[in-house]
Amino acid sequence: MGSTLHRSGTRSAGARRTGGAAAVDPVAARGLSTTEAALVDAIADRVRRGRADAALTDTADVDALAERMLAALPTVKHEADALVGPFYDTASLATWRGVTRQAIHKASQKRDLLGLKIGDGSRIFPSFQFGGSGTPLPHLREVLDLLDRDGIDPWGSALWLNTVADEFGGTTAAQALRDGRVEPVLAAARRAANAWHADA
């Protein structure tokens, strides 16, 4: 029998007997794709382990919490998804981060966020630049100023930030920044910019 979380916050008898998280009940997950069901299962597992105890009080607005959680999912589909995506649009990013669209625009203009212009003139934001809580990539402005001071090629900058490289220990520049390896990333950005200017 699968483990289910009742609205009262207690696990079913089957979950108590097994002591572990099990897959979401297929009946409850009817109509969901395999990935959607896996997401629901992962969330339920974390709730069971107490990760949401502070947010799930008797007076919690569960619908509002669900909307906020879904806003955290990047939903823009673009042909560059495999290279630098998935992406947020301005509205979904503002909702997730709990700020205005104007704040997103301002952060993009200051290059604290990497916004990429698409065919209809709007901007999309690669998800790799955000941590799990929506925290932007540290030192992004410094890196972008080195790679592309005039903002001519933000797509190239996004690709550079999200490409696995030996110089970052088999990870990306974005992950290296997140890990606190700022100086190696800045040095690599300088080298890349110099090489690009030499080829121009």
Side-chain angles (χ1 to χ4, degrees), residues 47-126:
V47 170
R48 283 185 207 99
R49 288 188 278 143
R51 297 272 309 273
D53 286 354
L56 295 178
T57 63
D58 289 340
T59 59
D61 183 345
V62 177
D63 286 333
L65 286 171
E67 284 298 321
R68 181 99 178 177
M69 289 171 68
L70 287 177
L73 300 175
T75 58
V76 175
K77 299 292 183 202
H78 190 273
E79 60 195 31
D81 274 355
L83 297 173
V84 294
F87 300 94
Y88 295 98
D89 61 14
T90 302
S92 64
L93 185 56
T95 299
W96 178 38
R97 297 194 63 220
V99 298
T100 64
R101 291 178 185 208
Q102 291 80 6
I104 298 296
H105 178 74
K106 184 176 180 181
S108 179
Q109 293 297 100
K110 289 173 43 182
R111 302 178 91 187
D112 291 331
L113 296 179
L114 179 58
L116 307 174
K117 194 176 277 191
I118 57 174
D120 66 3
S122 65
R123 291 193 186 279
I124 57 177
F125 300 85

Side-chain angles (χ1 to χ4, degrees), residues 12-50:
S12 68
R16 277 185 241 116
R17 280 194 302 273
T18 62
V24 171
D25 180 350
V27 174
R30 190 177 329 159
L32 297 178
S33 71
T34 303
T35 303
E36 291 165 340
L39 175 63
V40 170
D41 190 39
I43 292 168
D45 181 55
R46 284 157 179 78
V47 170
R48 283 185 207 99
R49 288 188 278 143

Side-chain angles (χ1 to χ4, degrees), residues 1-5 10-22 48:
M1 174 175 202
S3 172
T4 57
L5 185 68
T10 60
R11 280 188 276 169
S12 68
R16 277 185 241 116
R17 280 194 302 273
T18 62
R48 283 185 207 99

Side-chain angles (χ1 to χ4, degrees), residues 135-185:
T135 306
L137 199 58
H139 303 280
L140 180 62
R141 185 188 312 178
E142 295 169 71
V143 173
L144 294 177
D145 283 347
L146 289 169
L147 285 175
D148 184 22
R149 179 169 296 283
D150 298 324
I152 295 170
D153 187 16
W155 283 93
S157 296
L159 187 60
W160 186 86
L161 281 161
N162 202 44
T163 298
V164 173
D166 289 339
E167 63 191 316
F168 305 124
T171 187
T172 66
Q175 186 59 51
L177 287 173
R178 210 171 281 111
D179 293 343
R181 295 180 280 152
V182 178
E183 288 309 316
V185 173

